[in-house]
Amino acid sequence: STLEDKAIWEGGEDALGDEVLRMGNDEIVSRTRLLDNEIKIMKSEIMRISHELQAQKEKIKENTEKIKVNKTLPYLVSNVIELLDMEPQDGGEEDGANIDLDAQRKGKCAVIKTSTRQTYFLPVIGLVDAEQLKPGDLVGVN
């Protein structure tokens, strides 16, 4: 049944009418204000929830895109040759000089040899945890 259905509204006037007839004008006005305030609160709650829903849908869309990107196969298969501990180098402060950001990093780095026989130095290991890697491991790289 919908709100337009007349059967819903029939017979309700008697029960409601007796209560309203016993009230004074001030009481009726205060009740209508209370109902108006409740309606405003519910409308703001609906807007908040719909905004939250939109934000969650955007997060889901971003995450599905990330999953799609991460499902792609790597371009190359490589062997880990060596794992190194990097200490940031103090090259002295030079005004206007270019700074080697790779030399400023601290942590683990790796040397890998790809299936195309090229050797690369990786200052950032990537998605794999450094403690799980050891020389001779196969890794996929893009």
Side-chain angles (χ1 to χ4, degrees):
S1 62
T2 63
L3 290 177
E4 288 81 25
D5 192 8
K6 294 190 188 263
I8 292 177
W9 304 107
E10 291 176 3
E13 292 177 9
D14 298 332
L16 185 63
D18 293 338
E19 189 179 341
V20 171
L21 289 175
R22 280 188 249 131
M23 290 185 202
N25 285 341
D26 294 338
E27 215 175 328
I28 293 173
V29 168
S30 68
R31 284 245 180 130
T32 55
R33 284 187 184 138
L34 285 172
L35 287 173
D36 285 340
N37 287 339
E38 283 186 33
I39 289 171
K40 286 178 186 174
I41 290 170
M42 288 180 188
K43 282 183 179 179
S44 68
E45 191 73 15
I46 287 172
M47 292 300 292
R48 183 188 65 80
I49 290 173
S50 65
H51 179 70
E52 226 174 83
L53 177 69
Q54 185 67 28
Q56 290 294 330
K57 283 183 179 179
E58 288 175 12
K59 279 185 182 178
I60 289 172
K61 185 178 178 184
E62 288 174 8
N63 287 340
T64 53
E65 289 295 320
K66 286 181 185 177
I67 289 171
K68 195 183 296 181
V69 166
N70 287 332
K71 276 186 177 180
T72 59
L73 294 174
Y75 294 124
L76 291 172
V77 176
S78 304
N79 280 325
V80 176
I81 302 297
E82 192 174 353
L83 293 170
L84 305 169
D85 285 323
M86 288 288 286
E87 296 296 327
Q89 297 174 353
D90 258 348
E93 293 294 321
E94 297 179 25
D95 290 337
N98 288 338
I99 297 174
D100 185 11
L101 291 176
D102 293 337
Q104 300 298 321
R105 283 203 172 86
K106 183 177 182 180
K108 292 273 189 178
C109 59
V111 177
I112 61 169
K113 187 166 194 155
T114 66
S115 55
T116 59
R117 297 185 182 141
Q118 294 174 322
T119 304
Y120 288 105
F121 170 74
L122 302 176
V124 178
I125 290 181
L127 298 175
V128 181
D129 191 21
E131 280 73 38
Q132 293 179 348
L133 280 179
K134 59 185 183 296
D137 283 347
L138 287 177
V139 292
V141 293
N142 279 337

